[in-house]
Amino acid sequence: MTVPFATSARSSVGLEWELMLADNESGDLVPRAPELVPELEDRTALERYTVTGELLTNTVEVTSGVGDTVAAAVDDIADAIAEIRTLTAPRGIELLCAGSHPFAQWYDQSVTDKTRYHRLIERTQWWGRNMMIWGIHIHVGVDDVTKVFPIINALAVYLPHLQALSASSPFWAGDRTGYASNRALVFQQLPTAGLPWPLETWSEFETYLDDMVRTGVMTDATEVRWDIRPAPRWGTIEVRACDGMSTLPELAAVAALVQVLVEHFSREIDEGRELPTIPPWFVRENKWRAARYGLDARVIVDREGTQRPVVDHLRETIERLRPVADELHCARELAGIDTILSQGASYARQLLVADAADGDLREVVQHLIREFRAGPTLREHLSSTTV
């Protein structure tokens, strides 16, 4: 099988954000996407962004155009959200995002009427029906196909950092799970999801796809659901490990970190330097630690097994890569990582609200709705001056 890798602008950025639709009073999820998406598609046909449905009818996904900066992609997302609100507000529908809904039950949700989704549910059964999960996808352009898997393998060292920053699913179906990101462990139950296989070359990826298609596991590369995967159609590396971000500035911050890491690794390859990697058993352990402990995790950062608090390693990484962020014009967005580290990730904020409300998870949903509404205002503050 020959899989072409499209041409894309180096370190260009695309963002996808999966959003919940909820009743504005009860906070319950509502299956209203089928009535919203067709009208939104008509109204936004000439825009850079798109608004589409997802696996469940309680979800809409907003996708940016290709941005030469993180700020450009974030502006697309903000414009999409503003357009969605013109339809949701009169209908009493609110928007929010987290890796999971605090109290919704899978058996109350309906699947979008598309063949690919029905095929997924038929194959995966109970696990597929339990995919009440919301995430973000960050695409970064890569200028040479030979760089793709070296960069993916190096990014795997930083998967726990990204997962900890975005962790926002401490509750599941009304239960307090004890995990910062329960979504991370649920999503990997799908047969082609989870950590990427440690491939080294594009030809190995083509062999993998050939094996999977030939044996009926998948139909094409779009069904590779790894935490980091190549996106051949777009010529990008796509990071899919993150829980849904609860605010737009947080989405911008994590997107900036991914963009800076990809560009840094690309430059290292250009200079003939070996990229950092760790054994796959360390990658797997790091994923579990980040899912369990979030920003309190200690992660394994090198082949020798050195362990560091993820927060400390994040701060050191950001400081080291600030010059790259300056050149990519995303320093202001990257500074949002400091805000997450000082104020706590979404999972921690949700737990504080639940504790203050004596465990009332409806209050947690209202908190998420308020946070999501505040995002565009904060985004405007972040982008009020050009870096």
Side-chain angles (χ1 to χ4, degrees):
M1 174 182 288
T2 299
V3 182
F5 187 74
T7 300
S8 64
R10 176 166 169 163
S11 293
S12 53
V13 180
L15 302 175
E16 303 172 47
W17 199 5
E18 297 168 349
L19 308 177
M20 303 181 214
L21 303 173
D23 179 81
N24 62 353
E25 293 184 0
S26 69
D28 287 329
L29 293 171
V30 292
R32 307 288 291 276
E35 72 185 71
L36 297 171
V37 169
E39 186 172 350
L40 286 165
E41 288 177 337
D42 288 342
R43 292 169 59 159
T44 62
L46 299 179
E47 301 290 346
R48 279 172 43 88
Y49 61 81
T50 61
V51 182
T52 58
E54 252 294 335
L55 171 65
L56 299 177
T57 58
N58 56 36
T59 302
V60 294
E61 181 178 73
V62 294
T63 302
S64 75
V66 178
D68 56 353
T69 64
V70 171
V74 169
D75 283 343
D76 285 348
I77 297 295
D79 290 344
I81 291 168
E83 186 64 33
I84 293 170
R85 286 199 186 281
T86 64
L87 298 187
T88 57
R91 292 170 165 87
I93 301 170
E94 282 289 356
L95 303 174
L96 67 149
C97 189
S100 63
H101 187 281
F103 61 79
Q105 301 288 342
W106 68 266
Y107 46 76
D108 291 328
Q109 314 310 315
S110 57
V111 176
T112 299
D113 189 18
K114 285 189 175 181
T115 300
R116 62 180 296 218
Y117 295 141
H118 289 307
R119 186 170 64 241
L120 174 67
I121 296 300
E122 171 59 28
R123 184 173 187 223
T124 58
Q125 291 296 301
W126 187 85
W127 277 114
R129 293 193 296 271
N130 264 277
M131 289 295 132
M132 289 195 308
I133 56 176
W134 292 263
I136 61 169
H137 303 159
I138 302 165
H139 290 260
V140 179
V142 179
D143 60 347
D144 186 337
V145 69
T146 65
K147 293 180 176 181
V148 170
F149 277 96
I151 292 176
I152 286 176
N153 293 332
L155 281 173
V157 179
Y158 290 90
L159 269 179
H161 306 62
L162 297 167
Q163 192 173 288
L165 285 166
S166 66
S168 58
S169 48
F171 302 104
W172 190 266
D175 288 334
R176 186 167 179 157
T177 65
Y179 283 79
S181 174
N182 197 60
R183 169 193 169 275
L185 303 184
V186 171
F187 188 41
Q188 69 182 13
Q189 303 309 315
L190 293 183
T192 62
L195 295 171
W197 293 106
L199 308 178
E200 296 183 359
T201 66
W202 192 256
S203 63
E204 289 181 356
F205 180 60
E206 290 176 325
T207 299
Y208 164 81
L209 285 178
D210 184 60
D211 287 346
M212 294 296 99
V213 171
R214 183 163 40 82
T215 56
V217 178
M218 61 179 71
T219 58
D220 57 42
T222 64
E223 295 184 20
V224 177
R225 298 184 175 94
W226 298 341
D227 294 340
I228 314 173
R229 72 176 182 181
R233 179 182 177 186
W234 308 114
T236 63
I237 287 173
E238 180 183 3
V239 173
R240 302 164 52 87
C242 297
D243 279 10
M245 307 300 298
S246 296
T247 72
L248 192 55
E250 289 174 308
L251 171 61
V254 171
L257 178 56
V258 173
Q259 185 196 31
V260 167
L261 284 169
V262 172
E263 174 61 23
H264 167 67
F265 292 140
S266 188
R267 293 181 183 189
E268 292 290 281
I269 292 173
D270 291 343
E271 295 298 322
R273 289 190 279 267
E274 183 180 0
L275 300 189
T277 59
I278 58 177
W281 43 90
F282 286 169
V283 176
R284 180 171 295 277
E285 172 62 16
N286 277 345
K287 177 175 180 173
W288 185 87
R289 291 185 186 188
R292 171 65 177 88
Y293 300 109
L295 289 173
D296 290 326
R298 287 178 60 85
V299 296
I300 304 164
V301 298
D302 58 30
R303 297 172 186 174
E304 288 69 41
T306 304
Q307 300 180 62
R308 300 289 309 285
V310 71
V311 169
D312 292 349
H313 198 245
L314 263 169
R315 292 190 191 278
E316 293 169 8
T317 299
I318 290 169
E319 187 60 34
R320 178 165 47 88
L321 298 181
R322 285 192 196 280
V324 180
D326 289 337
E327 293 181 40
L328 294 176
H329 304 290
C330 67
R332 187 172 298 276
E333 288 79 16
L334 186 65
I337 298 294
D338 294 325
T339 303
I340 297 173
L341 296 182
S342 61
Q343 296 184 1
S346 178
Y347 74 90
R349 303 194 301 268
Q350 291 180 53
L351 290 170
L352 285 173
V353 171
D355 289 344
D358 295 325
D360 186 351
L361 297 187
R362 294 188 183 275
E363 288 300 317
V364 177
V365 174
Q366 293 303 319
H367 153 78
L368 288 168
I369 289 171
R370 290 191 298 270
E371 278 206 337
F372 188 87
R373 276 192 171 276
T377 301
L378 291 174
R379 190 269 307 179
E380 289 164 8
H381 172 70
L382 283 171
S383 60
S384 59
T385 59
T386 301
V387 177

